[in-house]
Structures are given as C-alpha cells and as structure tokens.
Amino acid sequence: MSINVLLVDDEAVDLEWLRRRVLASGLNITVVGTASSGFNALKVMEEERVDIILSDIRMPIMTGTEFARRAKAVNPKTKIVFISGHEDFSYAKEAIEINASGYLLKPVEDKDLYEMLGSLCAKMEQEKEQDRSFIEALSLVNKELLLRWFEEGTTDPAEPHLRSLLTSLLQKGSAAAIVEIDDLEWKMRDLPEEEVRNRTRQVTEMIKAFVEEAKLGTLLAVHHTRCVILAALSQESFLHQLEELVGKIAKKSKYTVTVGVGRYAQEETGLHESYQQAQAALSAKWLLGKNRLIRDTTESSPRGTPGASLEHTVDRLLEAIIQYDLVAIDDHLLELFTKDLPAAGKKDVYGLIIRITSKLHADLQQQNENLYELLQWESHQPDILFQFETIHDILSWLRRRFFELSEQLYVKRQRQKRKLIDEIMHYVEENLEKKITLKEVAAHFDFTPNYLGYLFKEEYGLPFSEYVNERKTNRITELLSDPTLKIYEIADRMGYKNIIYFNRQFKQTTGMTPGEYRKKNKI
C-alpha cells in the first residue's frame, strides 16, 4: 500500500521543487497534498490519510514546530521530518521534544532526502506486517440472527445454534466494530432515492472488498449506512486495519466513514458488551469528529459546564479578532470548544455558539461594528449549523468565518486610518500659514494628542511635528521663489513674529538662511 506524504513550505518554488524530487524517489510514495501554511496543511490532514510530513521549520503565522504539534494531535502516528537552513538549527531541540522523525538541512542533497524517505517507508512497512487469520463466512441467516442477538439490550446467553459460531469466533478473542458512512443526511439530501441507494451501495461494496482482502473478520450488514465487523485479527492488527479502511474510503470515495470499536473479548458476554461499546463510541462522533476510528469512550470523564472562564476566553477571542491574530483566534476557539464545552449534544453546543456570537456582537457594537452584518448571517444561529454532524465541522466553519471577520475588520481599520491621515494632512496644508500644534489638531479631530501622534507616526513614518515642519519649509521655499515678497513679509505670513527665529529655523532645516537660499537660487 502506498505511503502518503504531505509537503509544507511557504515558498511556492521550494514546495514545487520538493514535490518533484519526492515523486522522483522511486519509492512507493504518493504526494497527497502540498500546503503553503500550517493551517492549510491541517486542513489536508482532515481530508487525507497522511503517513509522512516534510515541513519547512520556519513559516509565518504558524511555525513548523507549532504545526507539527497540532499535526501530532490529529494523527500521533504521522512521521514528521523538518527541513531548514543552518541558521534555524536552534529549532532542532524543539523538533526532538515533539518526537520528529528526522531533520534535513538546506540545501538538501538527493541522497539525504531519499535515504530519509526510504528509512521511514521501510519502518512503516515493517509496522504493517502482521499475522492474519479469519473465520469461515457465516450464512446470511446466521448473520441476521447474530445481529439480532447483538441488538438485544440484555446479555442473555446466545441460542445454542449460535453458540458454536461464537465459540469459533472467540477462540483467539474478538471485538465488534461498527462502520458508518458520514454526512449522508446533507450530502445526499437533494438526490433521488435510487441515486442515494446506488451511492451508498458503492461505499458498502468498498468496505466489503477491504474486509475480504485484509481478512479482517466477519461482516454483518445493519442497513444501508452501517455495517458491523467482528474481528478475526489480533487487537493491534484489527485497529490498524480499521484505520487503513477509514483512510482508503476517504481517498477512493467522495464520502468518508467513521468506525466505533469496542474492547476485545474472550467470551460471549464480553463480545456482546463490545458491540454496545462500539455503538457508544460511534455516538461520540459528534464530539470527537468523523472520518476516524473511535474507541474506549466509556472510560472518558465528562466535561464540566462552561463557567466564568468562558467570558474571559471570549474577551480574548474578540481581542485576537481585532488584532488580526489568526493563531490566537484558532487557540481560543479550540479552548472554547474543548475545555469549556459541555459534555452534551448539539443543543448545548448551539447554546454556546449563541452566547459567543451575542457577546461578540455586543462588544463590537461598542466599536460601531455589527457582527451579523459583517458575517452576513441572521442574528439567530444560521441554518447551516444544523447540517453538521460533528463539533469539528462546526468549529471549522466558525474558524473560517472568524478569520474572515478579522480580515474584514483589519482592512476596514486600515482604510479608516488612511482616510484619517489624509484628512489630517489636508488640514495641515490648509493651515500651514498658521501656528499648528499636535494638541490643536488632535482636538479638531476629537482624539487625544498622544494617540493621534502615535497613529500619525505609525502610518506616515514621521513624527507629526517633523511633518508639519517639513511642509512649512516647502511652503516657505515656494514663497521665497517669488522675488516680489520680502523675507520679513514671508516670515509674518507664515506666522513667525520674530525674523531672527524665522531665519534660524529655516537654516536649521535647509542648512542656509532665507537670504542665502535666494542668493544660491538667483532669486
């Protein structure tokens, strides 16, 4: 089976160069995606099975090491190799801390790159080697009876005619896994019923083919969106192959599957409980996410109800949105929907979203901004939220919208600053022949002198006083070019009551007195 590789670099030329060299390695490798940022790379990981990541360690907004930590959270088994220049080798310590699989220095030689990839591929192939066994196929009738036994709420012993089948199944231990096709409700809602059946049949046929090829175990069909697999492999091999199944369906189909799996059992009651555990695990898809393998949810502890910390987190979220800090926005959203999230269903999550958006809206209104107009949604939760199957879908949607909101506010703020600076410069031009002070201009535009002085220097690059002095000097030189005007007349016109001070100021700026300026320019 091909090894999937993801390439990450913020330089487009380096990224394409790396892609071509990886494809030319001669190894059984597929480049499943390239990304110019950590955010884009994480999005690829949501859609593709990624075995190896080659990433530049220095990238804007989200560094390579920060991205690697998040990638490991998505898939701890992913192998990560960093690529950097000698000047970035200080990052090597961080790479070691997050268990990176390798570190290549630029310029990377083909020999080093291919040796690294070859070593990682060999290691992953070795991990895939396993002893497999499978039980004989059961008749359709017995499969149906077995499924009914699993669906019973009690753990009464199985009927005698099923006991022999279960005994054979449990000789080396077994577990139940339930495979469910994701997002059928909204992905197929507009399709005719026949087309829905055809598409789901294609996915179930892929599942069946994989189970048979991998000798995974016994397949029981529940209905058109779900099926049950009873393990015929060791626990480690079974879980690994289920992960392979999830990845293969996502790669080969327009749809994805989520698998809930129970614990391994050696006897009837344990296998019945394993089925119930698999159902519970699958129901946790709402919180844990789809397109993945879910297990052992019965051991997880419930989360608390969001408390006062939510208000503080939302305040920091708003600050990050205003400051155009995308990484902080992502961090605070993750905190809200993982740390402060109630351990309940969609209703509680929608309630949390209403609280977040209502507070953001109220805070933005104080800055004369309207959240709902900026995001172009109604003041109540948008209908699209009800279509999502998992909290991760909602989080992804909110992340995109808040990134969009942050960018809109940033662009709007920059335009407002530019407009204000233009108005200030126009005011200065109109009043050059008067005495102009920062305090006077700040009062005219209804700002404090300190803030206006800071804003002007940040936007124009010069302190306000230096700008005014520069513009006054330019106007004086224009007036000096008129030979009919006396120097003392120009000084008086420009607001200087003392001719000596006027001469000194002009010389300090230009290096010559007004008289010397006229003499030099033959005026």
Side-chain angles (χ1 to χ4, degrees):
M1 187 172 290
S2 178
I3 301 296
N4 288 350
V5 178
L6 172 62
L7 310 177
V8 189
D9 197 310
D10 62 313
E11 294 291 340
V13 174
D14 290 350
L15 195 60
E16 176 60 19
W17 170 82
L18 182 60
R19 186 186 71 84
R20 294 188 180 191
R21 295 177 72 196
V22 169
L23 291 176
S25 67
L27 299 168
N28 187 21
I29 283 178
T30 299
V31 176
V32 293
T34 60
S36 58
S37 70
F39 284 112
N40 291 337
L42 291 172
K43 186 175 181 181
V44 173
M45 292 190 70
E46 292 177 0
E47 301 171 353
E48 301 282 356
R49 186 195 88 245
V50 176
D51 301 311
I52 300 174
I53 296 173
L54 298 180
S55 174
D56 188 11
I57 205 165
R58 177 180 289 187
M59 294 185 293
I61 302 181
M62 182 186 292
T63 64
T65 51
E66 186 176 359
F67 156 65
R69 287 191 179 92
R70 299 193 182 198
K72 284 286 188 180
V74 174
N75 183 0
K77 294 185 177 180
T78 299
K79 314 293 184 187
I80 300 175
V81 176
F82 287 120
I83 301 176
S84 76
H86 285 277
E87 67 276 8
D88 297 326
F89 198 68
S90 59
Y91 286 105
K93 183 179 179 182
E94 291 186 66
I96 293 171
E97 290 175 354
I98 60 177
N99 296 321
S101 298
Y103 201 105
L104 297 171
L105 290 177
K106 295 180 180 178
V108 181
E109 299 292 337
D110 286 348
K111 178 176 176 293
D112 296 333
L113 176 64
Y114 296 153
E115 282 184 359
M116 177 68 72
L117 289 174
S119 173
L120 291 177
C121 288
K123 184 176 180 181
M124 298 191 76
E125 288 298 333
Q126 185 177 7
E127 291 173 355
K128 291 178 182 179
E129 290 179 4
Q130 50 204 299
D131 295 325
R132 298 173 182 169
S133 62
F134 66 98
I135 62 173
E136 295 181 356
L138 301 174
S139 70
L140 291 176
V141 174
N142 285 335
K143 285 184 178 181
E144 181 63 27
L145 292 174
L146 191 57
L147 192 57
R148 288 183 184 181
W149 178 71
F150 279 127
E151 292 288 353
E152 291 175 358
T154 63
T155 56
D156 294 338
E159 296 294 331
H161 61 276
L162 288 180
R163 193 161 299 160
S164 60
L165 300 174
L166 291 171
T167 301
S168 175
L169 187 68
L170 291 164
Q171 280 183 351
K172 295 183 179 180
S174 184
I178 304 176
V179 184
E180 181 177 69
I181 306 174
D182 300 322
D183 299 324
L184 289 184
E185 183 177 344
W186 66 272
K187 281 189 176 181
M188 298 190 186
R189 61 183 178 179
D190 298 325
L191 297 177
E193 186 175 343
E194 183 63 28
E195 181 65 17
V196 172
R197 284 198 296 269
N198 288 336
R199 294 195 181 192
T200 54
R201 189 183 301 115
Q202 290 174 4
V203 180
T204 53
E205 287 298 324
M206 291 177 64
I207 296 171
K208 181 180 178 182
F210 184 92
V211 171
E212 292 176 353
E213 180 183 351
K215 300 178 181 178
L216 200 55
T218 302
L219 184 68
L220 309 177
V222 179
H223 51 70
H224 71 288
T225 63
R226 279 189 178 188
C227 60
V228 178
I229 304 172
L230 302 178
L233 303 177
S234 66
Q235 180 174 354
E236 182 181 353
S237 299
F238 185 55
L239 295 175
H240 180 72
Q241 287 297 328
L242 287 175
E243 289 181 342
E244 291 282 342
L245 170 62
V246 172
K248 184 171 183 178
I249 297 298
K251 182 178 179 181
K252 301 293 185 180
S253 166
K254 294 180 180 179
Y255 304 97
T256 60
V257 296
T258 300
V259 181
V261 61
R263 301 190 198 114
Y264 255 66
Q266 302 289 335
E267 38 78 34
E268 285 182 25
T269 303
L271 186 59
H272 192 281
E273 290 176 354
S274 179
Y275 180 81
Q276 305 301 322
Q277 292 158 5
Q279 285 187 315
L282 193 59
S283 68
K285 176 171 71 170
W286 161 248
L287 288 176
L288 302 180
K290 61 190 173 184
N291 190 28
R292 58 172 294 174
L293 178 70
I294 306 175
R295 56 193 289 252
D296 295 339
T297 59
T298 54
E299 297 179 358
S300 61
S301 57
R303 297 186 178 101
T305 303
S309 63
L310 180 138
E311 302 296 327
H312 180 58
T313 306
V314 174
D315 286 338
R316 289 185 292 156
L317 173 62
L318 176 63
E319 182 181 353
I321 289 173
I322 292 174
Q323 295 299 324
Y324 196 36
D325 188 342
L326 302 186
V327 172
I329 292 173
D330 188 47
D331 288 341
H332 297 322
L333 279 173
L334 288 172
E335 183 177 353
L336 285 167
F337 284 91
T338 55
K339 178 181 176 182
D340 295 328
L341 183 69
K346 295 184 179 181
K347 181 179 178 181
D348 298 289
V349 174
Y350 295 144
L352 176 61
I353 293 171
I354 292 172
R355 291 180 63 185
I356 293 172
T357 53
S358 297
K359 178 165 177 51
L360 286 177
H361 179 57
D363 291 344
L364 285 172
Q365 277 189 317
Q366 296 180 9
Q367 302 184 31
N368 297 318
E369 299 290 356
N370 187 301
L371 171 70
Y372 305 121
E373 289 180 0
L374 288 167
L375 291 180
Q376 297 181 341
W377 66 13
E378 299 298 329
S379 57
H380 303 291
Q381 65 266 44
D383 292 340
I384 191 172
L385 290 176
F386 291 101
Q387 299 176 9
F388 296 131
E389 280 195 352
T390 70
I391 186 63
H392 298 281
D393 291 336
I394 289 181
L395 182 57
S396 179
W397 187 82
L398 282 175
R399 181 186 294 113
R400 289 195 300 271
R401 301 316 304 273
F402 285 160
F403 280 5
E404 175 188 341
L405 171 64
S406 182
E407 185 170 2
Q408 286 186 32
L409 290 173
Y410 174 77
V411 171
K412 191 173 183 179
R413 188 165 61 249
Q414 293 303 108
R415 288 174 179 169
Q416 289 173 340
K417 284 183 180 179
R418 187 65 256 174
K419 182 181 178 183
L420 174 63
I421 298 302
D422 289 342
E423 290 176 353
I424 292 173
M425 293 169 68
H426 179 72
Y427 179 85
V428 169
E429 289 298 320
E430 293 293 316
N431 294 276
L432 272 179
E433 297 181 6
K434 300 177 184 178
K435 185 177 180 181
I436 303 174
T437 65
L438 177 61
K439 184 177 180 181
E440 173 202 345
V441 176
H444 179 80
F445 288 96
D446 198 23
F447 286 98
T448 64
N450 286 342
Y451 177 74
L452 190 64
Y454 166 78
L455 187 63
F456 189 90
K457 184 176 181 180
E458 184 183 53
E459 286 296 307
Y460 191 74
L462 275 180
F464 179 77
S465 59
E466 290 186 21
Y467 172 75
V468 172
N469 189 44
E470 180 185 87
R471 297 310 303 152
K472 272 185 171 288
T473 302
N474 288 343
R475 178 64 63 86
I476 291 170
T477 56
E478 291 175 4
L479 295 175
L480 286 172
S481 299
D482 184 354
T484 64
L485 293 174
K486 306 295 185 182
I487 291 178
Y488 70 86
E489 292 176 333
I490 295 173
D492 184 64
R493 180 170 171 176
M494 294 302 297
Y496 292 91
K497 303 303 181 183
N498 188 317
I499 189 67
I500 296 176
Y501 179 71
F502 171 71
N503 282 316
R504 184 181 298 119
Q505 285 290 103
F506 188 82
K507 184 173 183 179
Q508 184 177 346
T509 304
T510 65
M512 62 188 81
T513 65
E516 291 170 341
Y517 176 84
R518 276 188 163 175
K519 184 176 180 181
K520 179 181 177 181
N521 291 278
K522 299 179 180 180
I523 300 172

